[in-house]
Amino acid sequence: MEEYLARIGPADEAAMRAATERQLALTKPAGSLGVLEDLSIRVAGMTASCPPAVPSPAAVTVFAADHGVHAQGVSPWPQEVTAAMLANFAAGGAAVNAFAANNRVDVRVVDVGVASDVAELDIVHAKVRPGTRDLSEEKALSPEEVVAAVAVGFELAEKLLRDGYRCLLTGDMGIANTTASAALIATFTGATAEEVTGRGTGIDDATLAHKTEVVAAALRLHDVPASDPQGALSAYGGLEHAALAGYILGAAANHVPVILDGVIAGAAALVAQAFHPAAIDYCVAGHRSAEPGHAIALKTLGLQPLVDLDLRLGEGTGAVLAYPILTCAVRALAEMATFESAGIASGDGA
Amino acid sequence: MEEYLARIGPADEAAMRAATERQLALTKPAGSLGVLEDLSIRVAGMTASCPPAVPSPAAVTVFAADHGVHAQGVSPWPQEVTAAMLANFAAGGAAVNAFAANNRVDVRVVDVGVASDVAELDIVHAKVRPGTRDLSEEKALSPEEVVAAVAVGFELAEKLLRDGYRCLLTGDMGIANTTASAALIATFTGATAEEVTGRGTGIDDATLAHKTEVVAAALRLHDVPASDPQGALSAYGGLEHAALAGYILGAAANHVPVILDGVIAGAAALVAQAFHPAAIDYCVAGHRSAEPGHAIALKTLGLQPLVDLDLRLGEGTGAVLAYPILTCAVRALAEMATFESAGIASGDGA
């Protein structure tokens, strides 16, 4: 971990100042591109360049894993759905495939801890263990397993960047992963189990009450302080959360933007923030999930979501939807004429 | 007008029912794509097909015109900026050019009523008159000018569709056009001048108070009922609002989606709705502008904006930002595997 963290530093202030000034010179009223102006300034800071290059090509990586807490009945979906959806991703039949094809984003799928054997699928095989242990009864992961899963994400980020990608998007798949997310978000935000536990991809009131009690009991059992990201990953998992945290740290260490998907990514980003606060300088919140813990996570992360359309699917769909907004923001900064170059009088002078 | 309106009918109910059923069969929890599911169902209804084809290619048409009310000091920008920005659009230097290039949308620029001579620009020349009359003193347009400007928009929509475009986006340019928009929105929503008048692309408190009084006085002067769209266009203009209303009616008559940009398009859509309520079945709200009248217009239109990022530029930027969200929604409906085809157990059965 230490060698990863040593490579992370804050966004470049000089590039952000230059981008802020450039925004004022472009042929539009000051501030009229709203959130996109701030976004373009942030990308300048991430990449230490003004104007920054368009962050393209992009890859969305779907980190997949299973959760021992599934045994507690926190989801209506059989655990085997994780593996079945991996086959669906590999065949191009999932929502993230349709969105990614539309938005020119490449899809990578990684088995970092699926319970079933998916060796025959044409995906990245990096299984640390076949699912976590049940977080409601014991630590989900050993310290060594945490480090191994974080390394899967970090190393994959580095490989994608070596392959030429200039924007990384997070994706995830894992039945019951909103339960582990809730525990992580509660740990790092101080929110209660009631505040952060939601219906995931769809559960009834009775299951929600039970799921909330499972999260509350796990928080009491493990009682991990917010200053201990490795301890939190060990207590609650999941393997995909650990890999996502590593992936975010990998993007930050290499000064490229990483677009976060929904609540799973938000939980992982809180872990990354606990590892190194400056990692969040490289994060863009793709969307706000309908899952209640996500808004709480985003508030602690200090990130404003780009898309807010009641999505609660995961897979990276929210991040992929947001990707063209990011590239539009950067292209406006890079490609627009200035008042001077276009020979237009500025509103200030009228 | 009558021949245009006779060709408009409501969205196809059978296709919408088929799309609703298909959404339930796709490999995702029911409802987990949120607003995008509804959007895909609406496009099925617009195009009377399920699954609908991806609405591509797309064109954003920037209708440009000037406003006589500019003489009242409602904007800090000189009127000549309209023409200067047309040159900027033609040269590819504006925000809408950057966004459109990013999102594979073609840009068309139309002079439907710019005050200056822009004959030398490589744009569509359809000037009905050089700017409206001052709406605070007299009717902005004659009845004949209204019909001519509506026809510009309708005929251009038809030409784009003949040229193979399958999605139309609205754009606009015209210094002082938020003033005419405010008057139109007040007319069709019943809101007050205070509620619908905003800072446009950026005015100070004193100018806002003056602009609001100009709108209030114009509403008292002309007093057009909500049932009279031609009268409202005649009273307030602008030429681009009339053309946009025609463009929306043209999309509706040809059963293709039209993505509305911000407050100018919202005002024009209210005009189109008054001409024929079913026209709104073909409208998608691209974004919610920071201009206060826009949210009021969207409420009366019954449309939910896809993007809400504090943009207040116009030009079509909000519509272009929303376009990939629309195509993602349609591609998910069209391309995703079903639980049956992918051999995945549905959550309902667990």
Side-chain angles (χ1 to χ4, degrees), chain A residues 304-350:
Chain A
Q304 177 174 1
L306 298 179
V307 172
D308 191 1
L309 296 172
D310 288 331
L311 271 69
R312 51 185 171 80
L313 178 58
E315 301 183 1
T317 47
V320 175
L321 267 189
Y323 175 62
I325 298 176
L326 177 69
T327 49
C328 278
V330 173
R331 288 188 74 150
L333 181 64
E335 297 176 9
M336 280 179 70
T338 63
F339 283 111
E340 194 177 346
S341 72
I344 300 176
S346 134
D348 302 336

mmCIF file of all heavy atoms in Angstrom, chain A residues 304-350:
data_model
loop_
_atom_site.group_PDB
_atom_site.id
_atom_site.type_symbol
_atom_site.label_atom_id
_atom_site.label_comp_id
_atom_site.label_asym_id
_atom_site.label_seq_id
_atom_site.Cartn_x
_atom_site.Cartn_y
_atom_site.Cartn_z
ATOM 1 N N GLN A 304 -20.173 16.416 -6.470
ATOM 2 C CA GLN A 304 -21.510 16.699 -6.986
ATOM 3 C C GLN A 304 -21.793 15.771 -8.158
ATOM 4 O O GLN A 304 -21.052 15.757 -9.138
ATOM 5 C CB GLN A 304 -21.564 18.160 -7.454
ATOM 6 C CG GLN A 304 -22.909 18.533 -8.069
ATOM 7 C CD GLN A 304 -23.017 20.015 -8.389
ATOM 8 O OE1 GLN A 304 -22.089 20.777 -8.166
ATOM 9 N NE2 GLN A 304 -24.151 20.416 -8.927
ATOM 10 N N PRO A 305 -22.869 15.000 -8.100
ATOM 11 C CA PRO A 305 -23.136 14.051 -9.195
ATOM 12 C C PRO A 305 -23.566 14.763 -10.475
ATOM 13 O O PRO A 305 -24.236 15.788 -10.435
ATOM 14 C CB PRO A 305 -24.269 13.195 -8.646
ATOM 15 C CG PRO A 305 -24.951 14.050 -7.630
ATOM 16 C CD PRO A 305 -23.876 14.940 -7.037
ATOM 17 N N LEU A 306 -23.170 14.196 -11.613
ATOM 18 C CA LEU A 306 -23.500 14.799 -12.905
ATOM 19 C C LEU A 306 -24.878 14.378 -13.401
ATOM 20 O O LEU A 306 -25.543 15.136 -14.093
ATOM 21 C CB LEU A 306 -22.441 14.425 -13.944
ATOM 22 C CG LEU A 306 -21.030 14.922 -13.622
ATOM 23 C CD1 LEU A 306 -20.057 14.470 -14.707
ATOM 24 C CD2 LEU A 306 -20.999 16.436 -13.486
ATOM 25 N N VAL A 307 -25.274 13.177 -13.080
ATOM 26 C CA VAL A 307 -26.542 12.622 -13.562
ATOM 27 C C VAL A 307 -27.356 12.211 -12.343
ATOM 28 O O VAL A 307 -26.794 11.673 -11.374
ATOM 29 C CB VAL A 307 -26.291 11.399 -14.483
ATOM 30 C CG1 VAL A 307 -27.586 10.692 -14.828
ATOM 31 C CG2 VAL A 307 -25.560 11.827 -15.754
ATOM 32 N N ASP A 308 -28.665 12.493 -12.395
ATOM 33 C CA ASP A 308 -29.525 12.192 -11.246
ATOM 34 C C ASP A 308 -30.863 11.722 -11.798
ATOM 35 O O ASP A 308 -31.821 12.480 -11.860
ATOM 36 C CB ASP A 308 -29.679 13.449 -10.384
ATOM 37 C CG ASP A 308 -30.329 13.158 -9.035
ATOM 38 O OD1 ASP A 308 -30.641 11.988 -8.761
ATOM 39 O OD2 ASP A 308 -30.534 14.106 -8.263
ATOM 40 N N LEU A 309 -30.907 10.481 -12.223
ATOM 41 C CA LEU A 309 -32.066 9.981 -12.968
ATOM 42 C C LEU A 309 -32.637 8.697 -12.364
ATOM 43 O O LEU A 309 -33.169 7.852 -13.079
ATOM 44 C CB LEU A 309 -31.680 9.775 -14.443
ATOM 45 C CG LEU A 309 -31.303 11.059 -15.201
ATOM 46 C CD1 LEU A 309 -30.753 10.747 -16.578
ATOM 47 C CD2 LEU A 309 -32.508 11.993 -15.320
ATOM 48 N N ASP A 310 -32.496 8.562 -11.035
ATOM 49 C CA ASP A 310 -33.107 7.438 -10.315
ATOM 50 C C ASP A 310 -32.574 6.077 -10.743
ATOM 51 O O ASP A 310 -33.263 5.072 -10.583
ATOM 52 C CB ASP A 310 -34.639 7.459 -10.454
ATOM 53 C CG ASP A 310 -35.247 8.585 -9.644
ATOM 54 O OD1 ASP A 310 -34.661 8.964 -8.616
ATOM 55 O OD2 ASP A 310 -36.313 9.088 -10.039
ATOM 56 N N LEU A 311 -31.357 6.036 -11.254
ATOM 57 C CA LEU A 311 -30.755 4.748 -11.569
ATOM 58 C C LEU A 311 -30.354 4.041 -10.273
ATOM 59 O O LEU A 311 -29.902 4.675 -9.315
ATOM 60 C CB LEU A 311 -29.501 4.927 -12.429
ATOM 61 C CG LEU A 311 -29.709 4.940 -13.938
ATOM 62 C CD1 LEU A 311 -30.438 6.205 -14.361
ATOM 63 C CD2 LEU A 311 -28.386 4.850 -14.669
ATOM 64 N N ARG A 312 -30.521 2.736 -10.253
ATOM 65 C CA ARG A 312 -30.059 1.970 -9.106
ATOM 66 C C ARG A 312 -29.630 0.582 -9.573
ATOM 67 O O ARG A 312 -29.926 -0.416 -8.954
ATOM 68 C CB ARG A 312 -31.153 1.863 -8.032
ATOM 69 C CG ARG A 312 -32.482 1.391 -8.550
ATOM 70 C CD ARG A 312 -33.556 1.419 -7.475
ATOM 71 N NE ARG A 312 -34.858 1.169 -8.069
ATOM 72 C CZ ARG A 312 -35.324 -0.045 -8.387
ATOM 73 N NH1 ARG A 312 -34.624 -1.115 -8.120
ATOM 74 N NH2 ARG A 312 -36.502 -0.172 -8.959
ATOM 75 N N LEU A 313 -28.912 0.560 -10.668
ATOM 76 C CA LEU A 313 -28.529 -0.724 -11.264
ATOM 77 C C LEU A 313 -27.098 -1.112 -10.946
ATOM 78 O O LEU A 313 -26.799 -2.279 -10.732
ATOM 79 C CB LEU A 313 -28.719 -0.663 -12.789
ATOM 80 C CG LEU A 313 -28.307 -1.918 -13.550
ATOM 81 C CD1 LEU A 313 -29.081 -3.129 -13.031
ATOM 82 C CD2 LEU A 313 -28.540 -1.765 -15.033
ATOM 83 N N GLY A 314 -26.198 -0.137 -10.904
ATOM 84 C CA GLY A 314 -24.796 -0.504 -10.793
ATOM 85 C C GLY A 314 -24.228 -0.848 -12.153
ATOM 86 O O GLY A 314 -24.635 -0.271 -13.168
ATOM 87 N N GLU A 315 -23.243 -1.744 -12.159
ATOM 88 C CA GLU A 315 -22.565 -2.206 -13.388
ATOM 89 C C GLU A 315 -21.648 -1.150 -13.984
ATOM 90 O O GLU A 315 -20.893 -1.444 -14.906
ATOM 91 C CB GLU A 315 -23.568 -2.608 -14.488
ATOM 92 C CG GLU A 315 -24.522 -3.702 -14.131
ATOM 93 C CD GLU A 315 -25.427 -4.069 -15.325
ATOM 94 O OE1 GLU A 315 -25.283 -3.484 -16.413
ATOM 95 O OE2 GLU A 315 -26.253 -4.976 -15.149
ATOM 96 N N GLY A 316 -21.762 0.090 -13.528
ATOM 97 C CA GLY A 316 -21.052 1.190 -14.165
ATOM 98 C C GLY A 316 -21.969 2.039 -15.033
ATOM 99 O O GLY A 316 -21.506 2.996 -15.669
ATOM 100 N N THR A 317 -23.266 1.733 -15.050
ATOM 101 C CA THR A 317 -24.182 2.437 -15.955
ATOM 102 C C THR A 317 -24.200 3.944 -15.705
ATOM 103 O O THR A 317 -24.228 4.728 -16.663
ATOM 104 C CB THR A 317 -25.621 1.885 -15.830
ATOM 105 O OG1 THR A 317 -25.967 1.773 -14.445
ATOM 106 C CG2 THR A 317 -25.728 0.528 -16.487
ATOM 107 N N GLY A 318 -24.186 4.358 -14.446
ATOM 108 C CA GLY A 318 -24.223 5.793 -14.141
ATOM 109 C C GLY A 318 -22.939 6.487 -14.558
ATOM 110 O O GLY A 318 -22.956 7.629 -15.036
ATOM 111 N N ALA A 319 -21.825 5.815 -14.398
ATOM 112 C CA ALA A 319 -20.546 6.402 -14.806
ATOM 113 C C ALA A 319 -20.483 6.546 -16.322
ATOM 114 O O ALA A 319 -20.019 7.567 -16.848
ATOM 115 C CB ALA A 319 -19.390 5.533 -14.300
ATOM 116 N N VAL A 320 -20.952 5.533 -17.030
ATOM 117 C CA VAL A 320 -20.910 5.589 -18.498
ATOM 118 C C VAL A 320 -21.841 6.679 -19.020
ATOM 119 O O VAL A 320 -21.502 7.394 -19.969
ATOM 120 C CB VAL A 320 -21.263 4.217 -19.107
ATOM 121 C CG1 VAL A 320 -21.342 4.315 -20.627
ATOM 122 C CG2 VAL A 320 -20.226 3.174 -18.705
ATOM 123 N N LEU A 321 -23.005 6.854 -18.388
ATOM 124 C CA LEU A 321 -23.919 7.931 -18.781
ATOM 125 C C LEU A 321 -23.249 9.300 -18.622
ATOM 126 O O LEU A 321 -23.502 10.215 -19.402
ATOM 127 C CB LEU A 321 -25.166 7.924 -17.905
ATOM 128 C CG LEU A 321 -26.399 7.172 -18.355
ATOM 129 C CD1 LEU A 321 -27.541 7.509 -17.408
ATOM 130 C CD2 LEU A 321 -26.789 7.467 -19.780
ATOM 131 N N ALA A 322 -22.433 9.427 -17.579
ATOM 132 C CA ALA A 322 -21.813 10.721 -17.284
ATOM 133 C C ALA A 322 -20.600 11.017 -18.165
ATOM 134 O O ALA A 322 -20.194 12.179 -18.286
ATOM 135 C CB ALA A 322 -21.390 10.769 -15.816
ATOM 136 N N TYR A 323 -20.039 9.999 -18.772
ATOM 137 C CA TYR A 323 -18.771 10.197 -19.487
ATOM 138 C C TYR A 323 -18.852 11.290 -20.571
ATOM 139 O O TYR A 323 -17.968 12.169 -20.638
ATOM 140 C CB TYR A 323 -18.277 8.864 -20.064
ATOM 141 C CG TYR A 323 -17.037 8.994 -20.912
ATOM 142 C CD1 TYR A 323 -15.849 9.468 -20.376
ATOM 143 C CD2 TYR A 323 -17.067 8.665 -22.267
ATOM 144 C CE1 TYR A 323 -14.714 9.608 -21.164
ATOM 145 C CE2 TYR A 323 -15.948 8.798 -23.061
ATOM 146 C CZ TYR A 323 -14.777 9.270 -22.514
ATOM 147 O OH TYR A 323 -13.659 9.411 -23.301
ATOM 148 N N PRO A 324 -19.897 11.322 -21.405
ATOM 149 C CA PRO A 324 -19.937 12.405 -22.411
ATOM 150 C C PRO A 324 -20.062 13.799 -21.792
ATOM 151 O O PRO A 324 -19.646 14.783 -22.416
ATOM 152 C CB PRO A 324 -21.185 12.076 -23.246
ATOM 153 C CG PRO A 324 -21.461 10.633 -22.994
ATOM 154 C CD PRO A 324 -21.012 10.374 -21.584
ATOM 155 N N ILE A 325 -20.625 13.891 -20.608
ATOM 156 C CA ILE A 325 -20.697 15.204 -19.951
ATOM 157 C C ILE A 325 -19.288 15.668 -19.601
ATOM 158 O O ILE A 325 -18.926 16.838 -19.807
ATOM 159 C CB ILE A 325 -21.607 15.130 -18.697
ATOM 160 C CG1 ILE A 325 -23.037 14.739 -19.114
ATOM 161 C CG2 ILE A 325 -21.583 16.452 -17.927
ATOM 162 C CD1 ILE A 325 -23.990 14.539 -17.945
ATOM 163 N N LEU A 326 -18.473 14.743 -19.114
ATOM 164 C CA LEU A 326 -17.083 15.083 -18.804
ATOM 165 C C LEU A 326 -16.325 15.499 -20.054
ATOM 166 O O LEU A 326 -15.610 16.519 -20.062
ATOM 167 C CB LEU A 326 -16.391 13.874 -18.144
ATOM 168 C CG LEU A 326 -14.914 14.053 -17.826
ATOM 169 C CD1 LEU A 326 -14.725 15.058 -16.699
ATOM 170 C CD2 LEU A 326 -14.278 12.713 -17.434
ATOM 171 N N THR A 327 -16.485 14.739 -21.130
ATOM 172 C CA THR A 327 -15.720 15.078 -22.337
ATOM 173 C C THR A 327 -16.240 16.366 -22.971
ATOM 174 O O THR A 327 -15.456 17.153 -23.512
ATOM 175 C CB THR A 327 -15.704 13.907 -23.338
ATOM 176 O OG1 THR A 327 -17.039 13.420 -23.531
ATOM 177 C CG2 THR A 327 -14.833 12.777 -22.824
ATOM 178 N N CYS A 328 -17.552 16.606 -22.893
ATOM 179 C CA CYS A 328 -18.078 17.902 -23.369
ATOM 180 C C CYS A 328 -17.448 19.053 -22.583
ATOM 181 O O CYS A 328 -17.078 20.086 -23.167
ATOM 182 C CB CYS A 328 -19.599 17.962 -23.223
ATOM 183 S SG CYS A 328 -20.504 17.162 -24.562
ATOM 184 N N ALA A 329 -17.364 18.888 -21.278
ATOM 185 C CA ALA A 329 -16.806 19.956 -20.438
ATOM 186 C C ALA A 329 -15.371 20.260 -20.846
ATOM 187 O O ALA A 329 -14.977 21.430 -20.980
ATOM 188 C CB ALA A 329 -16.873 19.551 -18.967
ATOM 189 N N VAL A 330 -14.595 19.217 -21.083
ATOM 190 C CA VAL A 330 -13.186 19.417 -21.440
ATOM 191 C C VAL A 330 -13.068 19.982 -22.851
ATOM 192 O O VAL A 330 -12.257 20.884 -23.107
ATOM 193 C CB VAL A 330 -12.402 18.104 -21.292
ATOM 194 C CG1 VAL A 330 -10.986 18.261 -21.829
ATOM 195 C CG2 VAL A 330 -12.378 17.675 -19.828
ATOM 196 N N ARG A 331 -13.901 19.480 -23.753
ATOM 197 C CA ARG A 331 -13.818 19.986 -25.133
ATOM 198 C C ARG A 331 -14.200 21.456 -25.216
ATOM 199 O O ARG A 331 -13.626 22.210 -26.006
ATOM 200 C CB ARG A 331 -14.686 19.147 -26.066
ATOM 201 C CG ARG A 331 -14.058 17.779 -26.300
ATOM 202 C CD ARG A 331 -14.790 17.005 -27.351
ATOM 203 N NE ARG A 331 -14.522 17.533 -28.685
ATOM 204 C CZ ARG A 331 -14.523 16.778 -29.784
ATOM 205 N NH1 ARG A 331 -14.754 15.491 -29.698
ATOM 206 N NH2 ARG A 331 -14.286 17.317 -30.951
ATOM 207 N N ALA A 332 -15.181 21.870 -24.426
ATOM 208 C CA ALA A 332 -15.533 23.294 -24.431
ATOM 209 C C ALA A 332 -14.333 24.124 -23.991
ATOM 210 O O ALA A 332 -13.994 25.129 -24.627
ATOM 211 C CB ALA A 332 -16.734 23.546 -23.516
ATOM 212 N N LEU A 333 -13.679 23.703 -22.927
ATOM 213 C CA LEU A 333 -12.508 24.446 -22.445
ATOM 214 C C LEU A 333 -11.402 24.461 -23.491
ATOM 215 O O LEU A 333 -10.729 25.475 -23.699
ATOM 216 C CB LEU A 333 -11.989 23.827 -21.139
ATOM 217 C CG LEU A 333 -10.774 24.510 -20.512
ATOM 218 C CD1 LEU A 333 -11.115 25.937 -20.070
ATOM 219 C CD2 LEU A 333 -10.257 23.704 -19.314
ATOM 220 N N ALA A 334 -11.217 23.342 -24.158
ATOM 221 C CA ALA A 334 -10.087 23.224 -25.087
ATOM 222 C C ALA A 334 -10.357 23.836 -26.451
ATOM 223 O O ALA A 334 -9.452 24.372 -27.090
ATOM 224 C CB ALA A 334 -9.721 21.745 -25.251
ATOM 225 N N GLU A 335 -11.611 23.766 -26.911
ATOM 226 C CA GLU A 335 -11.878 24.045 -28.332
ATOM 227 C C GLU A 335 -12.627 25.328 -28.607
ATOM 228 O O GLU A 335 -12.661 25.784 -29.757
ATOM 229 C CB GLU A 335 -12.663 22.865 -28.939
ATOM 230 C CG GLU A 335 -11.882 21.570 -28.907
ATOM 231 C CD GLU A 335 -12.691 20.378 -29.405
ATOM 232 O OE1 GLU A 335 -13.801 20.563 -29.926
ATOM 233 O OE2 GLU A 335 -12.190 19.241 -29.243
ATOM 234 N N MET A 336 -13.277 25.910 -27.601
ATOM 235 C CA MET A 336 -14.059 27.114 -27.877
ATOM 236 C C MET A 336 -13.171 28.299 -28.225
ATOM 237 O O MET A 336 -12.046 28.424 -27.737
ATOM 238 C CB MET A 336 -14.934 27.480 -26.668
ATOM 239 C CG MET A 336 -16.210 26.679 -26.542
ATOM 240 S SD MET A 336 -17.143 27.162 -25.063
ATOM 241 C CE MET A 336 -17.695 28.802 -25.564
ATOM 242 N N ALA A 337 -13.723 29.174 -29.057
ATOM 243 C CA ALA A 337 -13.040 30.433 -29.362
ATOM 244 C C ALA A 337 -13.086 31.345 -28.139
ATOM 245 O O ALA A 337 -13.943 31.193 -27.261
ATOM 246 C CB ALA A 337 -13.732 31.108 -30.543
ATOM 247 N N THR A 338 -12.165 32.295 -28.083
ATOM 248 C CA THR A 338 -12.227 33.332 -27.044
ATOM 249 C C THR A 338 -12.894 34.566 -27.640
ATOM 250 O O THR A 338 -13.000 34.705 -28.864
ATOM 251 C CB THR A 338 -10.820 33.697 -26.551
ATOM 252 O OG1 THR A 338 -10.083 34.250 -27.644
ATOM 253 C CG2 THR A 338 -10.093 32.467 -26.011
ATOM 254 N N PHE A 339 -13.360 35.456 -26.755
ATOM 255 C CA PHE A 339 -13.943 36.713 -27.238
ATOM 256 C C PHE A 339 -12.951 37.416 -28.156
ATOM 257 O O PHE A 339 -13.315 37.962 -29.205
ATOM 258 C CB PHE A 339 -14.317 37.615 -26.057
ATOM 259 C CG PHE A 339 -15.578 37.198 -25.356
ATOM 260 C CD1 PHE A 339 -15.552 36.682 -24.068
ATOM 261 C CD2 PHE A 339 -16.810 37.303 -25.993
ATOM 262 C CE1 PHE A 339 -16.721 36.302 -23.427
ATOM 263 C CE2 PHE A 339 -17.987 36.922 -25.365
ATOM 264 C CZ PHE A 339 -17.940 36.422 -24.071
ATOM 265 N N GLU A 340 -11.687 37.369 -27.766
ATOM 266 C CA GLU A 340 -10.671 38.063 -28.558
ATOM 267 C C GLU A 340 -10.494 37.401 -29.925
ATOM 268 O O GLU A 340 -10.510 38.066 -30.953
ATOM 269 C CB GLU A 340 -9.351 38.065 -27.774
ATOM 270 C CG GLU A 340 -8.331 39.033 -28.345
ATOM 271 C CD GLU A 340 -7.066 39.066 -27.497
ATOM 272 O OE1 GLU A 340 -7.081 38.565 -26.355
ATOM 273 O OE2 GLU A 340 -6.061 39.585 -27.998
ATOM 274 N N SER A 341 -10.359 36.059 -29.928
ATOM 275 C CA SER A 341 -10.107 35.384 -31.202
ATOM 276 C C SER A 341 -11.308 35.496 -32.134
ATOM 277 O O SER A 341 -11.168 35.535 -33.348
ATOM 278 C CB SER A 341 -9.738 33.914 -30.971
ATOM 279 O OG SER A 341 -10.861 33.157 -30.564
ATOM 280 N N ALA A 342 -12.531 35.548 -31.565
ATOM 281 C CA ALA A 342 -13.735 35.621 -32.396
ATOM 282 C C ALA A 342 -14.136 37.064 -32.701
ATOM 283 O O ALA A 342 -15.076 37.281 -33.465
ATOM 284 C CB ALA A 342 -14.889 34.888 -31.707
ATOM 285 N N GLY A 343 -13.466 38.024 -32.071
ATOM 286 C CA GLY A 343 -13.799 39.424 -32.328
ATOM 287 C C GLY A 343 -15.177 39.819 -31.827
ATOM 288 O O GLY A 343 -15.898 40.571 -32.472
ATOM 289 N N ILE A 344 -15.548 39.273 -30.645
ATOM 290 C CA ILE A 344 -16.880 39.555 -30.088
ATOM 291 C C ILE A 344 -16.718 40.422 -28.843
ATOM 292 O O ILE A 344 -15.857 40.163 -27.992
ATOM 293 C CB ILE A 344 -17.610 38.248 -29.718
ATOM 294 C CG1 ILE A 344 -17.772 37.378 -30.969
ATOM 295 C CG2 ILE A 344 -18.961 38.541 -29.071
ATOM 296 C CD1 ILE A 344 -18.391 36.024 -30.703
ATOM 297 N N ALA A 345 -17.601 41.430 -28.734
ATOM 298 C CA ALA A 345 -17.594 42.283 -27.541
ATOM 299 C C ALA A 345 -18.106 41.477 -26.363
ATOM 300 O O ALA A 345 -19.076 40.735 -26.490
ATOM 301 C CB ALA A 345 -18.483 43.496 -27.771
ATOM 302 N N SER A 346 -17.457 41.600 -25.226
ATOM 303 C CA SER A 346 -17.908 40.890 -24.034
ATOM 304 C C SER A 346 -19.018 41.659 -23.350
ATOM 305 O O SER A 346 -19.106 42.879 -23.437
ATOM 306 C CB SER A 346 -16.721 40.703 -23.087
ATOM 307 O OG SER A 346 -17.070 41.031 -21.777
ATOM 308 N N GLY A 347 -19.910 40.934 -22.657
ATOM 309 C CA GLY A 347 -21.044 41.559 -21.979
ATOM 310 C C GLY A 347 -20.624 42.577 -20.940
ATOM 311 O O GLY A 347 -21.358 43.517 -20.637
ATOM 312 N N ASP A 348 -19.443 42.401 -20.395
ATOM 313 C CA ASP A 348 -18.974 43.301 -19.347
ATOM 314 C C ASP A 348 -18.821 44.728 -19.851
ATOM 315 O O ASP A 348 -18.937 45.683 -19.098
ATOM 316 C CB ASP A 348 -17.606 42.833 -18.813
ATOM 317 C CG ASP A 348 -17.705 41.418 -18.278
ATOM 318 O OD1 ASP A 348 -18.816 41.011 -17.908
ATOM 319 O OD2 ASP A 348 -16.673 40.727 -18.254
ATOM 320 N N GLY A 349 -18.523 44.856 -21.145
ATOM 321 C CA GLY A 349 -18.238 46.174 -21.666
ATOM 322 C C GLY A 349 -19.462 46.941 -22.134
ATOM 323 O O GLY A 349 -19.349 48.068 -22.593
ATOM 324 N N ALA A 350 -20.637 46.314 -22.020
ATOM 325 C CA ALA A 350 -21.820 46.962 -22.603
ATOM 326 C C ALA A 350 -22.471 47.936 -21.635
ATOM 327 O O ALA A 350 -22.232 47.877 -20.457
ATOM 328 C CB ALA A 350 -22.826 45.895 -23.017
#
